Each structure stands twice: as structure tokens, then as C-alpha cells.
Amino acid sequence: MKKPSIPKGTRDFTPQEVVKRTYITDIIKRCFMSYGFQPIETPSFENSETLMGKYGDEGDRLIFKILNSGDFLRKVDDTTYSEKDATKLTSKISEKALRYDLTVPFARYVVQHQNEITFPFKRYQIQPVWRADRPQKGRFREFFQCDADVVGSDSLWQEVEFVQLYDAVFSALNLKEVVIKMNNRKILSGIAEVIGAEDKLIDFTVALDKLDKIGEEGVKKEMLEKGISETAIEKLQPVFNNDGSASEKLTLLKKLLDTSETGLQGIKELQFIIDAIEALGLQSANLEIDITLARGLNYYTGAIFEVAAPKGVDMGSIGGGGRYDDLTGIFGLKNVSGVGISFGLDRIYLVLEELNLFPATVSANTKVLFINFGNKESLYAMKAISKLRGLDITAELYPDEAKMGKQMGYADKRDIPFTVLAGDEEVKANLYTLKNMKSGEQEKVTFDKLQNLLK
Amino acid sequence: MKKPSIPKGTRDFTPQEVVKRTYITDIIKRCFMSYGFQPIETPSFENSETLMGKYGDEGDRLIFKILNSGDFLRKVDDTTYSEKDATKLTSKISEKALRYDLTVPFARYVVQHQNEITFPFKRYQIQPVWRADRPQKGRFREFFQCDADVVGSDSLWQEVEFVQLYDAVFSALNLKEVVIKMNNRKILSGIAEVIGAEDKLIDFTVALDKLDKIGEEGVKKEMLEKGISETAIEKLQPVFNNDGSASEKLTLLKKLLDTSETGLQGIKELQFIIDAIEALGLQSANLEIDITLARGLNYYTGAIFEVAAPKGVDMGSIGGGGRYDDLTGIFGLKNVSGVGISFGLDRIYLVLEELNLFPATVSANTKVLFINFGNKESLYAMKAISKLRGLDITAELYPDEAKMGKQMGYADKRDIPFTVLAGDEEVKANLYTLKNMKSGEQEKVTFDKLQNLLK
């Protein structure tokens, strides 16, 4: 018989992995809740019409479609069928599709439940999504997204809160010195405007976004290739030499953008957030302005955020987000502004692993194994075990009266730090022999002492 | 534009629902962990060959199949295609399917990871499953299962532990007096044997299982119809008059089954569990023997469990399980005995709702809303809010400087119990006016007093 396997791009999570992932999501949830974000959950599959056409052609291709149940060919007329065209056939034999992200289902939720919702609505959502992407290192076909958004408010205090929220989560994870990079779509538009490349905003920002990777000369070359004039690129020079503090950057930008109303509005917004964060302080994160930051530009209309792991950790972004207008417009509810951020769970996991930041207490291990000396002794053991479990101390009885070596070996293999030996003698004296599996030391104790030692 | 909707049989969960569901699963997880069960997670979709053929023909039909990505017709030869046969086409255009339960993926996991696992392996798993069932009240196409199993041990202490575990979970949920019903497949086999209806074991147990619904006469009628002889049914009489305590039932059964080795073995097993539980005690559940209990009989080989809601709550079973042999045999790993139980999340939710057992603290609500009096005052408010959030007190700033009535109305609509008014005067005096939204009372306090009042 063939050894069973799982589909490529998917994962089994072992106990140790689940416990560590839960450690991360529990901290994120706690922070979300304390900021007033409320959890929602949406179905794993949506009607195809809800998802299709929302992520571009490439997105449509990567959406997993679910075959209709029963005789799915019944409704396909012979003419259509005879064409043997997969694209045409899909819509006839599949009406549902797996969630591709959490944003479109959230927009659908808001529109569908608009009469029950009090706006502004702050929601968080941590659920898996599925993409038929080519699997590769670090890219999966099933992965969790972890989003917080607020819709129905254009107050800049929301942006301030999201900076604080990033700081709160990463500080609680003991991941210090993450870099929260911030930009504003209006500044990018303003720059394109003043250098006379308004019609090339996308090309311009795509090139600028590569500054880290291909350097100043590379960016300039790409812009030239895309038809942005030499004069325009010259005007950009201040942007490339923009290494100062946030206020220095803003001063410089103000000069560059002084003829662009949009650009100045973007600066004003950034200034508000920077000033508020300066007054409120951050626990451990660093907030920086990065005017090369674009992310899905077409999507964002105001602030753009991205979080980088602490310097020295090569991991790309571990979070990102921004302000978007009219998210719910695709479902007919106009003029609802939103802003949101997400956390990259898989990457955060890898960073914590690399920096050894998972606390030792984050473990799926059992704390103490009671050795099985037979039914009478086991009953004595089970009484103690029940009490320990009531105190949330993970305790187990070895299920069979096996040889001592086998039972001890089991404790070793499972990395269980303590065993209790309670044979005839202990039962009579109402005591327990507690053995430290690391040091090998053992002592005979009362139940009270036992529970104190195991706490 | 059409108002968006979700596929039939699926659900959106509102914040209040998510928080209540999480309350239940958190308690279950805590109990699972304290009993030494370790969490695993498996992918939402499996290779079709892993799932197909494991749940019978009906099950195969109800499994959601995922359409292959890209040009899924490419590999379908014209002859097969021209038959236009949905069943034949399915295996050509779909290689993956959504998880139908957690048991088969668990068996697959155990076999695939057998070299990393230390047996006995105690695992729990709480994940959604999908079934293309006809949706109806209380039956969904996407729902969560919540399973704990141990594989690789045939010790009866496992059964004892599962009884304790049910008791621990329902006691922690404050759902008292649930009835844990227990039976044993060997007893059912033994009864069929002694009444001479061995070849009709399924018909016999299916009829017996209906005793609650159709009464003694109904059961006897059905048995007759299925070809079980009158003499055989007469011998069954003690089973119908079996209302006594657990030990009375066992005594009676011992007499009935004294010629069946299998039957007596079943009694011995029940006796062991009953005796152990009697010695260990239960917190709030009642353990009963119910020899009409069968559940998926073909599946179970020893103990069978089912949990009923407390008397007076009409809900059917809220949990069930039992011992099975050779679960992993379907994937080539023989002779691994297992025993497990599951919790019916949706029904437990409904019972807790009906009996009003969700604690008032189980809420997605924000505790305190700070009124927005403008940017300067908001910054003052945000400093307090940050500190409160650090103490896990859910606090929010109203995002805009709206009219007082609107801001208070927002707090009301969202059921936020406290508001803080901190205007110019409070800022100057470094104080906060805390308003109780229910009583209308308000007082001016320091931050220390504020945090104490909100805790």
C-alpha cells in the first residue's frame, strides 16, 4: 500500500507547531480585543460570483473552485459541453469557490450585515485562505491570514492606532525593534504630479519600490525605460537622498511637493500620525517614513504600512496594510472608507524561531507521567492525576503495567520532565515519589508538596 | 446590484457568536491539554484517494470535490469526455477534496508520521469539516468537529479518562447533570449471539437503538419484521426491563450473557470503567449504562459513549465516541487500537444559550469609550487608552469630533457600559470624568481610580 501523503502546498501541523502558532495568534487576538476589534468568521467557501473578478485575471485563475455536488453535468447543454473548453465549463459545473483572502469576504459581510452593524466597525479575522499558486519555499496553497480593519471612519486616529497595535503585538511577542515603515499614496501621486509623470504613476512607483533591491541607478534606468523623462528623474533626486529622520524627510518632501495639493495633503496626514506617535511613544518598534513603499498601490488611497523584521533578520515584510476607500463599493455600498493591517503569521513564526523567542513554557508536552504499577496503584495515581489536571497541570498515567524501562523510555522520548512512582509502599504511606527526569533526583512527597513542585 | 449572500448551509459568525464559540472551545482545549492530549492540524483538503471509499457510497457523494486548477480538461481523453458521465469525469478533473471528518485525516496523519510519533499518541483536533448534505435546521455544510483520540493503547484506563474528560469539560462549562451513556459493542454482539440472531446483528441493534423513540412494542415489531424469531425476542425481555442502577444492569446482563464469551468480556470492560469512576468520582455528570446505545456500530469494537444534555433540554446527543480497532489499517498500519470522543460544538452552544450559561463576561464589547473633544483632548485620551489596553481593558476613542449626542448614541448602540469625558478642564486637572451608561452617574477621577473602576 502506498504511504499516504497530502496535496502539495499544504501542511500537517505537529503538536509543537500548533502550540507555537497558537501562542502567536493568542497574543494577536488579545491585542486586537484590547483595541476594540471584534472577531468575525466567514464561510470557507463563497458563491463564485462573490470572489470572481475581484483579484484580476491572475487571481481568478488561482481561486480554487468547488465542483457542484451530484450530477453536475445535468445542467450543461450539449453544445457548450461539446466545445470542451475548461474556462467555459467551469462556471457551469462550479458555483462555489474557496476564500482567496479575508478582505473580499469582509466587504461582502459588511454589505450583507450593514443593518446590524454600528459604524465605525472594527473587526478582526484570523482564518485560512487558499490559492492555487505554484508551491515553493515559504509559499503555501493553504495559509492563515490575520487581518484587522476598521470601516466607516476616515479619522487619522485609526492610522495612529494601527501603528500602536503593531507595536503592541510585536512587543508582546518580545520581537523588539521591528521597523514600521509608513508612506502615503497621496505623496506618491504628488511626486508623480510634480515631475510630470502623472500618467505613469504605476510604472513610477513599481520602479521606486525596487530601490532596496536594484539601487538608485537601477531605479533610474527602469524609469527611463518606462518613458519617464530625464528631467523628471532629475527632479526626483531629493527622494533618493532621503535618509534623514522623519521630520527631515517631511521638510524635504514639503519643498518638493509645494505645488501639489494632493502631495501636501499626504504630508499633512503623515505629519499627524508621526506627531501623535511621538507624543504617545512606542514600546519597542521604530516608526519610519519610507517613500519608496507602494504595496498594491491601486488598492490604497492614503496611508501605506509595512513592517520589517528587526535588522539582521532576512525575512521580507512580516505585516502590511493601509487605507483604502470604497472597499464595499464592489458590493453596492458606496463611500465607506476603511483602513486595515495584516500580520504575516508564517513569517512571524520563522522569525521567532530564528531568534529563539518562543518561551520555554510554550510546549505541548505533558508535565508529569505517573508510572503504572497495576490497577490498584493506578487508581491511587489517577486520584492525584485528576486533582493535578484540575489545577491545569498536565498529568498522565502510563496506560499499561509495562516494564519500568519501557515506561521511563516513554517519558524520555516524549520529553516529559517529571515522573511519579507510586507503588505499594507509597500508596500505604499516602505519598508520591517524584523523579526529575533531567537530574535523576527523586524524593518522596505529600500531594500538597507534589502539586507545589509541579506548578 | 444584487445584495451579496453566502452559500446555503454555511454561516457568517458575528462577533458575539465568535466570542461565545471561542469560550466553549477554549475550555475544551484547556481540558484536553491538562489530560495530555496534543493538538494537531491537517490541511482542509486531502488527496481524493485519501478520503474516497472511507465513508460508504453516501459519504463519497457528500464529499466536496475541488476542481483541478488550470485547463482541467487537458488530460481527459475524448472518448471518456464524450460519455458525459459526471461520476466518471469527476476523478479526471478533480484530485483533491475537502475534509469530510477529522477521523480519516487523523488516521492518515498517524500513518504518515508514524516514525516521529511516540505511541500511545493522544491527539486532539478542532477544525471545520464540509459535507454536501441537504441543509436543514441545525445541519450545516460547514461545521466544526472537536475530537480527542488516543491510538496505540488498549488499556481501559483510556475509557476511564474519557468519561472523566467529558465530566471535566461539561463541569467547566457549568453544564451540570449531563448524562454520559455507555455501552459496549461486545455486549450487543453477545446478546445477538445468545438469542440466536448473530447474523442479524445490525438489524437487531438498529431496532434496539430506537427504543427511546418507538417504545418496546415498536422495537419488537421491527425485529419481527427483520426476521428475528419470536423466541429470540422473548429472550430479550430482561433488556427491556432494564431500568436499574449500573450494578443492577450488569448483574442482569451477566445472567443473560453467561454462555457468551464475547458478552462476558464486554461486561468485564464496563465493570472496570464503572468501578474506576465510582472510586474516582465525577464532578457533575452522571454515568449510565445504556445497552440500547449503538451509534455507528460497524465502526466501534469496544466501549461506546454518548452524552445527552441535562434532562429537560431537548437536544439529542452533544457528544459521542468509543473504541475502534484498526483505524489506521485503511492506510496500511495494522493493529493500532484507538479510542476517542467528540464534542458537538453547535449543539453545546445551543444548550448553553437555552440555559443562559454563557457568563456575562463572555462578550466582544468594548468596556469604555472615550469621547472625542478634538485633537488635543484626544491625545490626552489616547495616553490613558494605551495604558488601559496594556492592562487588557478594552478601550476606544471615538474617532471623530462629532456632536456629543452622536458619540453617546454610538456607545449606547454598541452596548458599551462606560464612557470617559475628558475635555479641557479634565486635561488641565489631569483627571477623567467616568460615566456609567446604565445608571447615568458620573464622577471625576484620577487615572489610578479609573483603571480600578474599569477592571
Side-chain angles (χ1 to χ4, degrees), chain A residues 34-35 122 161, chain B residues 385-393 395-396:
Chain A
S34 77
Y35 274 70
K122 296 168 84 168
E161 284 208 343
Chain B
I385 288 170
S386 297
K387 282 193 231 160
L388 291 174
R389 287 171 175 169
L391 301 163
D392 281 330
I393 296 167
E396 280 182 68

Side-chain angles (χ1 to χ4, degrees), chain B residues 13-32:
Chain B
F13 293 107
T14 64
Q16 209 53 35
E17 287 166 340
V18 173
V19 168
K20 285 179 175 174
R21 288 166 63 89
T22 306
Y23 165 75
I24 298 173
T25 49
D26 277 354
I27 282 179
I28 294 177
K29 283 181 199 172
R30 212 187 58 218
C31 290
F32 282 173

Side-chain angles (χ1 to χ4, degrees), chain A residues 2 12-13 15 33 35 39 41 44 65 67 76 78 81 84 108 113 142 155 161 164 386 389 394 399, chain B residues 12-13 15 33 35 39 41 44 65 67 76 78 81 84 108 113 142 155 161 164 386 389 394 399:
Chain A
K2 208 174 91 189
D12 279 332
F13 293 106
M33 294 286 266
Y35 274 70
E41 289 181 10
S44 296
K65 286 100 186 167
L67 204 52
V76 185
D78 287 340
Y81 188 75
K84 209 181 169 187
R108 194 266 310 143
H113 300 269
E142 172 176 50
S155 161
E161 284 208 343
Q164 290 186 298
S386 295
R389 287 171 175 169
T394 310
Chain B
D12 279 332
F13 293 107
M33 294 287 265
Y35 274 70
E41 290 181 9
S44 297
K65 286 100 185 166
L67 203 52
V76 186
D78 288 340
Y81 189 75
K84 207 180 169 188
R108 194 266 310 145
H113 299 270
E142 172 176 51
S155 162
E161 285 208 342
Q164 291 186 297
S386 297
R389 287 171 175 169
T394 310

Side-chain angles (χ1 to χ4, degrees), chain B residues 143-186:
Chain B
F143 58 98
F144 272 73
Q145 285 193 336
C146 177
D147 289 8
D149 292 80
V150 47
V151 290
S153 162
D154 52 15
S155 162
L156 287 170
W157 286 110
Q158 310 294 2
E159 277 85 341
V160 173
E161 285 208 342
F162 280 118
V163 173
Q164 291 186 297
L165 181 54
Y166 267 139
D167 177 52
V169 167
F170 289 116
S171 299
L173 289 170
N174 211 16
L175 183 61
K176 288 175 183 157
E177 305 284 335
V178 301
V179 181
I180 305 171
K181 301 182 207 168
M182 187 169 57
N183 196 9
N184 193 301
R185 154 78 178 245
K186 291 170 186 142

Side-chain angles (χ1 to χ4, degrees), chain A residues 408-426:
Chain A
M408 287 294 179
Y410 174 81
D412 269 340
K413 258 194 248 169
R414 281 198 47 204
D415 250 337
I416 297 174
F418 295 97
T419 51
V420 166
L421 298 95
D424 194 40
E425 202 180 309
E426 281 87 352

